[in-house]
Structures are given as structure tokens and as C-alpha cells.
Amino acid sequence: KNKELNTVTESSGIDIEAKPGAPVESVLDGMITTITYLRGYGNLIIIDHGSGYFTVYANIEKIQYSENEYVQQYSILGYVADSKDNYNKFHFEIWGNNIKLDPEKWLSKR
């Protein structure tokens, strides 16, 4: 929320700056339900972790798995795509019971 402009910008996740080719790991084990391409996000992976929780990873290349495969926590899903910008990033979201949650509360900073 920008108090000066009195505006609210909704973000359904966070963009994490990373070097192109950096590995992207699953934060928990689960079943890959969707692998698709979404304009503005690139290749996208959705993992179902059970109990209504899902994670979303976008701007990924060299995807290592297929839909309906089970992945373990810390499995390398793919690698950060080279977006040819001044910096590269991948997009990350957490959904819980159909509500988009703040991923920063779930991730430890390194």
C-alpha cells in the first residue's frame, strides 16, 4: 500500500533476483499438477503439497520433471531463465486454501 498515492498494488507472489541458470528447488515435497507457459511469467510449475497448499514457480527453463510426477523437498525443478534484462528473476507464490499467501513469511533469508 502506498500511503502517499493512496493506492494498493496487489502482488500474488514475489520476484527473487537470481543469476541465469541458478537452480530452482521445491520448498516442500508434492505432486506437480501443472507445467505451462504464461506470458509475462515464462514457464510455470505448480506443485500440490496437500491440505490445500500449492506453490508456484515461474520463469524457469530446463524443467526436470513432468506433470503428475512426485518431487521431494529441495528437488531441482529447473533453472532460472535468462530474461536478457539487467537482472534475472524467478517468480514464487504460495497458495493456501485458495488464498494467495505472503511467501516472504514462509521463506528463510540466506
Side-chain angles (χ1 to χ4, degrees):
K1 183 173 182 176
N2 185 319
K3 293 179 182 181
E4 289 179 21
L5 299 175
N6 198 26
T7 58
V8 175
T9 302
E10 185 176 331
S11 175
S12 56
I14 58 174
D15 292 330
I16 300 172
E17 193 170 337
K19 292 181 181 179
V24 176
E25 299 175 349
S26 175
V27 296
L28 290 170
D29 63 318
M31 181 70 68
I32 295 178
T33 62
T34 306
I35 297 175
T36 191
Y37 178 85
L38 187 61
R39 188 172 52 183
Y41 289 92
N43 294 321
L44 180 128
I45 300 171
I46 300 175
I47 301 177
D48 180 349
H49 301 287
S51 300
Y53 285 90
F54 295 83
T55 51
V56 179
Y57 308 79
N59 198 33
I60 309 277
E61 63 183 7
K62 299 178 185 169
I63 294 172
Q64 304 294 300
Y65 293 91
S66 300
E67 289 182 355
N68 301 316
E69 279 193 86
Y70 191 84
V71 296
Q72 297 292 328
Q73 183 177 23
Y74 306 124
S75 294
I76 295 175
L77 302 172
Y79 300 87
V80 175
D82 187 350
S83 63
K84 311 286 188 233
D85 289 336
N86 292 334
Y87 69 97
N88 288 275
K89 62 185 183 231
F90 77 94
H91 183 79
F92 179 70
E93 299 180 13
I94 297 177
W95 304 344
N97 297 315
N98 296 320
I99 298 170
K100 294 180 180 178
L101 306 173
D102 181 356
E104 292 190 62
K105 293 180 180 177
W106 292 73
L107 298 174
S108 62
K109 295 185 180 184
R110 294 190 213 186

